[in-house]
Amino acid sequence: MSTRWFGEPVRRVEDERLLTGRGRYLDDLGGQALAAAFVRSPHAHARIRDVDVTAALDVEGLVAIYTWEDLPPGVAEPLPLLIPHPALTHGRTAHCLAKETVRHVGEPVVMVVATDRYLAEDACALIEVDYEPLKPVVGLEEAAQGARLVHEDVPGNLGAHLVQEVSSAGGVSARECIETAPHTLAFRLDIERSASMPLEGRGVYARWDGGDLRVYSSTQTSTSVRMAIAAKLGLPLPRVEVIAPDVGGGFGVKIVHPWPEEILVPWAAMTLGREVKWAEDRREHFVASAHERAQVQYVRVGFDDAGRVLGLEVTILHDHGAYTPYGIIVPIVTSTQLLGPYKIGSYRVEFSSIYTNTVQVTPYRGAGRPQGVFCMERTMDKIAQHLGMDRADVRAANFIGPEEFPYDQRMTFQDGRPLVYDSGNYPEMLRMIKELIGWDSFERTPGRGIGLACYVEGTGVGPYEGGHVQVTSDGRVHVSTGLTSQGQGHETAFAQIAASELGVPLSQVSVVTGDTRRFGYAVGTFASRAAVVSGNAIALACRKVREKALRIAAEALEADPGDLDIADGMVHVVGSPSASIPLSTVAVLSNPLRYSFDAETAKATQFATATPVDRPPIAEGEEPGLEGRGFYSPIRSTFAAGMHAAIVETDPDTAEIRIVRYAVVHDCGRLVNPMIVEGQVHGGVAQGIGGALYERMAYDSDGQLLNASFMDFLMPYASEIPRIETAHLETPSPLNPLGIKGAGEAGVIPVSAVIASAVEDAEGVDIDRMPLSPSDLHHLRRR
C-alpha cells in the first residue's frame, strides 16, 4: 500500500465549495414546498383539555392543521426508544404531537401547514389550546424525592438504575477498600445543563410522487431515519430515500431519530400530495430539541500515602429530562469513562437516571465523558492537595503502564462490550504535556494558576459501517459510505484513505456520504467513530478493488499479479515502470461490452478483447466493473486518550477568568490527516471552554427556560479562545487494519476539569461545580 496520502496534512477539499457559498443545506432546498410550523407548549407540565383551531381557519394560505387525534395509528404511537437497556426499567418517549399531556416547554401540540412559513406561524398564533397546568418537577434532587411525578406510571421519577462494581485483586469490595484505606475523602460535584448549538438547526424536507418518498434531513444518521420513516409510515424500505445534504453541525443533537418532525413532515407530504418543509428556528432548538450534561455526583475515595487509589465509590444522579429516546447511553459512558487512564484498586459506581419536566437529554459532544473526567480529575487533585503532592505525580502513580495493554477495566461499555483499552502510553503523554505547558518551571502568583487533566475516550463503537468504491473508465475513484458528515472533513480523510490504498492522485477521488441512494446500510456519525469504522470499511473495499485491478492488469501485461503495483493511477510491473497500464484502462477491461460509446470503451468490446472462447467473458463468481464493497465491524471500541493543561489568570476585582495558555497532547492512533485532527481538537477545546465558563441552561422552578436565545445564552467569542498548542502521540490500535482511533470529541472532554484545576490553583478555593462564571467565583471568594 502506498502511504503517499495517508498521514499527510492535506487541506480539506470540501472547504472551497463551502466557503464560497456553494454548499447545499436543508433550507436551500424545496423553495416551492409548503411550510410547516408548530404550536408548542408554553407549560412545563399540563393536561391538554381542548384545542380550538376556529380562528386559524380563515388565515390566507392555510393548507392543513393537525393534532394528535388526526394522526394515523403508526404516526400516533409513541416514538421509538432507540437503545433499550435492562436497567432502563421505565423508558418513556414522546408522541409526534402531544397526547393529553405535555411534559416540557416546547413540546409540539399542533402542526400547521401553509403556503409559506409566515402564514403558518400566523395560523399557529390564532390556535387556542386550553391547558390545565400541573406543578412541574424541576431539579435533580427534587425529582429524586418523587413527591411529584413527571409520568404518572413511573414511581419516584426513576427511569433507570444501574450498578457496576469491580473488586480489588484480592476480591475486596470498593467500600471495604475505602474504609480500610490510610486516607479517605468524600465530596460532592455538580455539572449543570448545557446544549449543543450547531450553526444550522434541525430541518426536514419531503416529497412524495405517489409511490416513492424522498426525504432530506439535517441529520447525523440518514439510514436510520430512513428505517424509522418506513416503519412509522408503513412503507416498504426500498420506496424510501433519505439524503443528508450539507449539514451545518450536529454535535450529537442530530443523532436522535426520528424527531417528531422527521415523521410528521413526510406524512403531511404524502397526505397532501405536496412537497412540505420545516426548518427549526433558534428558540425551537433551545426548547424542542435536546440538552445534556446535568449530573450530581457523590464521591468517596480511599488512597495510600503515595496517592494510589485503593477504592473509589461514585453515586450519580443523572437528569435525562422528560423522555429517554436515546436510552441511558450518557450515564453509562460517564460511569465507565470516569476511570480514565488509571488502574483503580476497586471501583463501585451507581447511577439513577431521573425524569424532570425539562427538555430531554441525549448525547452532546463528549456524551457523558466530560462529567466522568470532571469527577476523576477533581478526585486526583483533591488527593494531591490532601497529601501535599504534585498533582502530576498523583496521576502518574495511578497510570496503567504501556506494557499492560490490552488492559481490561472489567466493566461493560456503552456498546455492551467489555471495557478493554487496546493501546496507549500514558506516562509518555504526561511527560509531553508537562513539557508543552512548562509544568515544572511554572511560577505561581496570586490569581495565576495551572491545571492538568487526563482522559481516555472510547471511540469507533460498532456495530458496523460500510464503504463502496468504484473506478470508472475515466480513472476517477468514487467512494460512498452511509454515515453522514457535519463538518468533520470526511470528503478529505476518506479520499486520502482511498487514494493511498489504490495508488491514485487525491484529485481523482470523490466521496459521497449520507445518501441512502448510494449506500443503504450504515449506523451514523457519532462517538468519534467515522474514521475508525467507515475509514476501515473504505480501506477494505479499496483492497478488493486493488486485488481485482491487479488481476485484470496482469492478464493485459502478461505478468504475475504479485509483481504489480499501482502508483499515480498506473498499474506497472515493479522495477519496470515502462511495462504499465492506466487504471482507467483496467476499469474499461473489467466491464466486457457489446457496444462502444467512445475510444476507451472500444477496448472492451467483444472483438477487441482476447478472452479465450472456452470461458465466459465474465468468470464465475465475478461481477462486471472495477468496484468493491467492504464492511468493517469492530469487535469492541478503540480507546483514544489525551491530556490537557492550561494556565489561567483571574481578575482580583471582577473575578473574570482568562485562559493564558492551553496545551493538548492527543493519541488517536495513526493519523489520517494531522491538520484535520488538530482542527477537531481546536474546535472541541473551544466548545469545552464554552461549557466550562459560559454555557448553562437556566430553568426556573416552573420549568421555564429563562435564557432560550443567543441574547441570553452565553457562548465564547473567538477572543475568549486562546491559542491552542498541540502535540500528537501515535500508539496504533491493534483492533483495525488501519490502526486508527477516533478524535472527534477529544477536545471537549477534559476542559471543565482543566479549568477547574487551574482556577483552584490560582484562587485556593475548592471548585466543585461547573460551569464557573465570574459571579460564581466571586461568591466562592466571599465564602
Side-chain angles (χ1 to χ4, degrees):
M1 181 186 82
S2 167
T3 56
R4 179 180 176 186
W5 296 108
F6 192 107
E8 292 297 311
V10 177
R11 288 185 178 274
R12 294 175 14 140
V13 299
E14 54 265 69
D15 284 354
E16 181 182 356
R17 175 175 61 83
L18 298 175
L19 294 173
T20 56
R22 291 183 288 118
R24 296 284 286 170
Y25 297 89
L26 190 285
D27 213 21
D28 292 322
L29 309 175
Q32 304 303 312
L34 299 176
F38 292 87
V39 177
R40 299 185 182 275
S41 171
H43 300 284
H45 201 189
R47 292 190 182 92
I48 301 170
R49 290 191 288 216
D50 185 51
V51 179
D52 186 353
V53 304
T54 306
L57 297 178
D58 294 330
V59 171
E60 181 183 357
L62 177 70
V63 176
I65 299 175
Y66 302 110
T67 65
W68 179 84
E69 287 81 2
D70 300 310
L71 304 179
V75 181
E77 295 169 356
L79 293 165
L81 198 164
L82 295 170
I83 307 178
H85 190 281
L88 182 57
T89 54
H90 292 77
R92 299 292 181 270
T93 59
H95 293 81
C96 288
L97 295 172
K99 175 190 177 184
E100 299 174 355
T101 303
V102 291
R103 293 185 173 88
H104 67 86
V105 172
E107 189 162 355
V109 179
V110 183
M111 178 186 185
V112 173
V113 181
T115 52
D116 65 43
R117 181 65 176 263
Y118 296 100
L119 297 173
E121 296 284 1
D122 287 345
C124 285
L126 295 172
I127 294 173
E128 297 183 4
V129 182
D130 182 12
Y131 296 99
E132 177 190 345
L134 304 171
K135 182 66 177 174
V137 179
V138 182
L140 266 170
E141 288 159 307
E142 176 188 342
Q145 293 171 3
R148 292 188 303 276
L149 300 179
V150 176
H151 299 270
E152 294 179 357
D153 58 346
V154 180
N157 295 309
L158 184 62
H161 178 255
L162 181 63
V163 177
Q164 290 200 66
E165 182 162 8
V166 178
S167 300
S168 70
V172 182
S173 71
R175 287 177 175 172
E176 292 177 273
C177 288
I178 293 168
E179 295 298 334
T180 58
H183 308 275
T184 61
L185 292 171
F187 49 93
R188 168 181 166 156
L189 301 169
D190 291 78
I191 299 278
E192 294 189 37
R193 223 176 228 254
S194 186
S196 60
M197 293 293 153
L199 287 173
E200 179 197 29
R202 298 177 295 123
V204 192
Y205 160 51
R207 62 185 196 229
W208 167 253
D209 67 4
D212 293 307
L213 177 68
R214 178 176 293 181
V215 178
Y216 296 83
S217 180
S218 181
T219 179
Q220 292 175 232
T221 175
S222 55
T223 54
S224 295
V225 171
R226 178 194 187 204
M227 294 179 69
I229 289 173
K232 282 289 186 182
L233 300 185
L235 294 172
L237 189 64
R239 309 310 295 266
V240 180
E241 300 169 347
V242 174
I243 299 129
D246 290 322
V247 176
F251 308 118
V253 70
K254 296 177 184 177
I255 191 62
V256 181
H257 58 276
W259 287 99
E261 300 86 359
E262 287 175 321
I263 299 299
L264 292 170
V265 168
W267 171 73
M270 293 174 63
T271 302
L272 299 171
R274 301 276 300 276
E275 297 181 6
V276 181
K277 185 173 80 171
W278 168 80
E280 180 182 65
D281 65 36
R282 191 53 62 178
R283 177 169 172 79
E284 284 180 304
H285 185 77
F286 274 97
V287 301
S289 58
H291 301 166
E292 218 242 71
R293 301 287 193 256
Q295 287 183 2
V296 175
Q297 303 167 340
Y298 299 94
V299 183
R300 294 178 67 238
V301 62
F303 49 97
D304 64 16
D305 294 339
R308 288 186 293 264
V309 177
L310 305 176
L312 177 66
E313 181 179 16
V314 183
T315 303
I316 300 169
L317 292 181
H318 174 74
D319 180 355
H320 62 226
Y323 301 107
T324 53
Y326 213 75
I328 52 174
I329 290 298
V330 172
I332 289 175
V333 171
T334 297
S335 61
T336 53
Q337 297 280 260
L338 187 152
L339 292 171
Y342 308 114
K343 47 183 177 185
I344 304 302
S346 56
Y347 176 52
R348 183 185 191 275
V349 62
E350 174 181 4
F351 71 74
S352 298
S353 199
I354 307 293
Y355 286 106
T356 59
N357 287 119
T358 56
V359 174
Q360 65 193 17
V361 164
T362 65
Y364 162 35
R365 193 179 193 176
R369 296 175 186 86
Q371 300 96 308
V373 171
F374 185 71
C375 179
M376 179 57 86
E377 296 302 299
R378 292 280 68 213
T379 300
M380 289 292 170
D381 284 349
K382 289 178 184 296
I383 292 171
Q385 182 184 46
H386 182 84
L387 295 175
M389 290 180 62
D390 184 285
R391 287 167 288 168
D393 291 342
V394 170
R395 288 165 170 83
N398 289 281
F399 279 156
I400 298 162
E403 73 286 351
E404 296 181 87
F405 290 97
Y407 188 83
D408 189 353
Q409 290 281 20
R410 295 181 291 159
M411 300 187 75
T412 301
F413 192 42
Q414 63 142 315
D415 55 0
R417 299 294 176 110
L419 187 73
V420 178
Y421 297 172
D422 48 327
S423 66
N425 189 338
Y426 307 139
E428 173 62 12
M429 192 173 288
L430 181 64
R431 185 199 66 77
M432 292 171 67
I433 193 68
K434 289 174 66 178
E435 180 179 300
L436 193 60
I437 199 68
W439 182 270
D440 291 332
S441 60
F442 178 75
E443 295 183 5
R444 288 166 181 80
T445 58
R448 191 168 188 267
I450 190 169
L452 172 72
C454 312
Y455 64 94
V456 168
E457 179 196 2
T459 70
V461 298
Y464 72 90
E465 289 295 341
H468 178 263
V469 176
Q470 180 184 30
V471 182
T472 49
S473 60
D474 56 2
R476 295 195 58 81
V477 178
H478 305 271
V479 177
S480 58
T481 184
L483 57 65
T484 60
S485 298
Q486 306 94 50
Q488 298 93 333
H490 291 162
E491 289 181 43
T492 304
F494 292 158
Q496 286 181 256
I497 291 171
S500 297
E501 292 283 345
L502 292 175
V504 300
L506 190 68
S507 59
Q508 289 184 211
V509 183
S510 62
V511 176
V512 172
T513 64
D515 187 338
T516 63
R517 298 170 299 177
R518 292 286 299 273
F519 205 94
Y521 291 93
V523 180
T525 304
F526 59 95
S528 302
R529 66 189 301 272
V532 179
V533 194
S534 265
N536 276 284
I538 289 167
L540 293 174
C542 285
R543 291 176 189 183
K544 290 182 180 179
V545 171
R546 179 185 177 86
E547 180 185 2
K548 184 174 183 178
L550 294 179
R551 191 167 65 249
I552 294 170
E555 289 189 13
L557 295 171
E558 297 182 345
D560 188 291
D563 295 332
L564 301 181
D565 193 12
I566 310 176
D568 295 323
M570 300 291 293
V571 186
H572 65 89
V573 177
V574 176
S576 181
S578 60
S580 63
I581 183 173
L583 191 61
S584 58
T585 301
V586 176
V588 170
L589 297 177
S590 71
N591 183 22
L593 295 173
R594 180 176 179 83
Y595 306 109
S596 171
F597 307 106
D598 53 32
E600 279 297 311
T601 57
K603 300 174 184 176
T605 56
Q606 56 198 2
F607 293 109
T609 57
T611 305
V613 296
D614 59 349
R615 75 179 198 196
I618 297 178
E620 185 177 352
E622 289 281 357
E623 295 180 358
L626 189 55
E627 58 186 293
R629 182 183 297 259
F631 287 87
Y632 174 67
S633 181
I635 189 171
R636 59 179 182 271
S637 295
T638 55
F639 284 87
M643 297 183 190
H644 292 203
I647 297 172
V648 304
E649 291 179 352
T650 57
D651 190 285
D653 300 316
T654 65
E656 289 182 278
I657 300 164
R658 185 170 75 92
I659 303 170
V660 179
R661 289 185 62 192
Y662 201 99
V664 176
V665 176
H666 184 58
D667 173 13
C668 59
R670 296 184 65 212
L671 297 170
V672 179
N673 185 319
M675 187 183 297
I676 288 179
V677 172
E678 289 211 6
Q680 288 281 12
V681 169
H682 291 182
V685 170
Q687 208 156 16
I689 290 171
L693 299 177
Y694 299 93
E695 300 169 5
R696 54 161 56 101
M697 292 294 177
Y699 276 99
D700 68 11
S701 60
D702 293 319
Q704 296 291 332
L705 186 58
L706 302 178
N707 59 338
S709 76
F710 284 163
M711 292 290 288
D712 303 298
F713 179 80
L714 299 181
M715 290 186 290
Y717 294 114
S719 55
E720 274 73 62
I721 306 302
R723 177 176 174 271
I724 301 163
E725 305 163 62
T726 58
H728 299 286
L729 177 69
E730 294 188 46
T731 62
S733 173
L735 298 182
N736 60 74
L738 295 177
I740 57 181
K741 308 173 187 177
E745 297 173 280
V748 77
I749 291 170
V751 183
S752 285
V754 172
I755 301 301
S757 181
V759 173
E760 188 171 277
D761 189 48
E763 291 283 329
V765 297
D766 291 339
I767 307 297
D768 292 335
R769 174 186 290 272
M770 294 302 265
L772 181 66
S773 69
S775 178
D776 295 328
L777 182 55
H778 171 74
H779 289 299
L780 286 172
R781 284 172 172 175
R782 294 186 64 184
R783 189 188 309 169

